[in-house]
Amino acid sequence: MKTATGFLVVAVGLLVSGATALAQQAKIGGVITPAPTVSSVMVTQSQIVWREFLSAAKAMPEDKYNFAPTEGNFKGVRTFAQEVKHVATVN
């Protein structure tokens, strides 16, 4: 009984995921475009973060790179320069 229930759950999951993939296709100007892949979504998200973070790093005056809040719950956090370095190396 557990095997049949498990099989049913997997079968329904596959049907739903297939229907979702079809629903994600977009029709633009009469042309059907395929749903985005995982890698294309990751690349797009990475580019957005890179662009936003780079613009913030460029906008910060050079003499303020050592800024870090010290009051309240922010005591001991990274400076702006350390945060930029952290994001650059992690991403």
Side-chain angles (χ1 to χ4, degrees), residues 20 35 50 53 79 81:
T20 303
W50 180 255
F53 215 80
T79 64

Side-chain angles (χ1 to χ4, degrees), residues 13-86:
L14 289 173
L15 287 172
V16 169
S17 66
T20 303
L22 286 174
Q24 288 178 349
Q25 292 181 340
K27 190 172 185 180
I28 300 171
V31 178
I32 296 177
T33 58
T37 63
V38 172
S39 62
S40 71
V41 171
M42 294 300 290
V43 166
T44 301
Q45 293 296 323
S46 173
Q47 289 171 343
I48 291 169
V49 169
W50 180 255
R51 184 175 53 245
E52 289 180 0
F53 215 80
L54 186 60
S55 66
K58 286 180 178 181
M60 179 67 85
E62 197 171 322
D63 61 326
K64 301 287 186 187
Y65 261 67
N66 288 325
F67 169 76
T70 55
E71 297 179 18
N73 292 332
F74 298 108
K75 190 173 186 170
V77 297
R78 295 181 177 121
T79 64
F80 185 78
Q82 291 170 329
E83 190 65 27
V84 169
K85 189 187 301 184
H86 168 74

